Amino acid sequence: MKPRKLHIKSYGCQMNVYDAQRMVDTLAGEGFVETTNADDADLVILNTCHIREKASEKVYSELGRLRVMKEEAARQGRRIDIAVAGCVAQAEGGEIINRAPVVDVVVGPQSYHHLPQLLARAERDGRALETEFPTEDKFAFLPPPKPDVIRARGISAFVTIQEGCDKFCTFCVVPYTRGAEVSRPVSKIVDDVKRLADHGVREITLIGQNVNAYHGEGPDGRTWPLGTLLHRLAEIPGIVRLRYSTSHPRDIDDALIEAHRDIPAAMPFVHLPVQSGSDRILSAMNRKHTARDYRRAIDRFRSLCQDIAFSSDFIVGFPGESEEDFQATLALVTQIGYAAAYSFKYSPRPGTPAAEMQEMVSADEMDERLARLQELIDSQQSAFNRASIGTTVDVLFERPARNPGQIVGRTAYLQPAHVIATEAIVGQVLPVKIESLERYSLLGELACPVPRLAAAPETMPTTHPSETTMGA
Ligand code: SF4
């Protein structure tokens, strides 16, 4: 039978990138192969994100384009199914069905394993919607990726260890769209990581909306925190780097900090969102920590791990934010000194408590504050990157770069690093003497002869999976 073609357009966070891969794996069992060309597809899935501004408007405008495509295909006697997945589907499923007749399937993030049945139901009944939080564990039903698919995705992979959030920050939809915190058992995560390592993966990023709230069942019957899980995963042959994202300051514990001290594979780069430096605003955000708590968490890391660096998320112009509150954010950034950070203007998410707040900061003030914050963050990031020049750093090589003859990899701090070399170094961690900096990329030369190790993956991805942020 001719394979059917599947195109997934994914928005937003790392979890969505991972979910898209799991949807591809699930539908591979139904004879679907992935295509990068939507015009060519028999099934188009919009894997949506509710975090960014005007998320649902973007979905409806994309659906407008898909409607034209679907009508044209129908004139040619070809059926195209359109599905909406992800957090917008979860939050606004019924409305999507009502407003966009072009949509055949709406599926929430906890129900991807039901996609084959939902497609069959849509073919039979015209439409299918599932946005419940099913009682069964979807991970038990999602098929593992095939070896050739793992190799094609490259040497760095995501593994979900935790989903959902119990924190209820007032600006965030995650607790409503992903549900309560659930952690996967250690044995399942170990199986996933072993399978990835067996097929060439060298770096694992453990993901969850609130990943350091991880509390999975261990093989000893006890509840394991993230720090203990990192110890177990570091024992798996082939895994040389472990990362995790996204963490909440309140869930930082000693086991996690000590894991950074004790496990060479635990990378010394932690994404720890703070959102604001003002306690008044942190309280309005229901963050459940103060700026002092956050500084203390950073100090605890730094006292045990001298080489550790941090990135963060900031929201500028949260309702009621005064110039004094904003100054507290600038002071915190100045004091911490970040290697990188993401900053956004506040925009209300329907259904969240903050969306009801009245004291809006004007658009001009938001723009002006965001520019000041980003200037400060950029200067810190540039200084951090410039400090690498002249030093020798370990780089995990990922793929050929766009410039012919160059191979690109990542340092421990996720900085892209380029050297002139052959593809034989892909998948290896090698020392690189850094010679210069070009915008955010480091350029250097190998500081050792190339050891002869495993062959490079047959195909390589074009971006590192950690180039997005999410949650906590
Ligand atoms: S911002 Fe993070 S911690 Fe807060 S509710 Fe959203 S996912 Fe949970």
Side-chain angles (χ1 to χ4, degrees), residues 277-322:
S278 155
D279 286 344
R280 207 175 67 82
I281 296 300
L282 288 171
S283 169
M285 288 176 167
N286 192 31
R287 286 290 292 175
K288 301 183 169 72
H289 63 81
T290 62
R292 191 157 173 234
D293 297 334
Y294 183 83
R295 287 189 180 96
R296 270 207 205 119
I298 299 272
D299 288 346
R300 280 159 67 206
F301 270 113
R302 285 183 166 154
S303 67
L304 290 193
C305 320
Q306 269 72 45
D307 60 347
I308 205 150
F310 296 91
S311 61
S312 192
D313 291 339
F314 293 90
I315 295 173
V316 169
F318 189 79
E321 184 190 73
S322 65

Side-chain angles (χ1 to χ4, degrees), residues 4-23:
R4 289 181 288 171
K5 292 190 179 159
L6 158 69
H7 177 77
I8 303 190
K9 185 162 183 183
S10 236
Y11 303 83
C13 70
Q14 296 164 351
M15 186 71 88
N16 266 14
V17 175
Y18 176 83
D19 283 347
Q21 292 179 349
R22 301 313 302 263
M23 285 189 260

Side-chain angles (χ1 to χ4, degrees), residues 15 159-163 206-211 245-246 470-471:
M15 186 71 88
V159 172
T160 293
I161 63 166
Q162 180 277 340
E163 277 202 272
L206 305 172
I207 56 172
Q209 270 88 28
N210 203 347
V211 74
S245 186
T246 290
M470 61 181 286

Side-chain angles (χ1 to χ4, degrees), residues 45 52 56 61 138 198 235 349 361 400:
I45 301 178
R52 299 284 173 264
S56 43
S61 89
K138 75 174 174 194
D198 285 347
E235 292 168 358
R349 296 289 166 273
V361 175

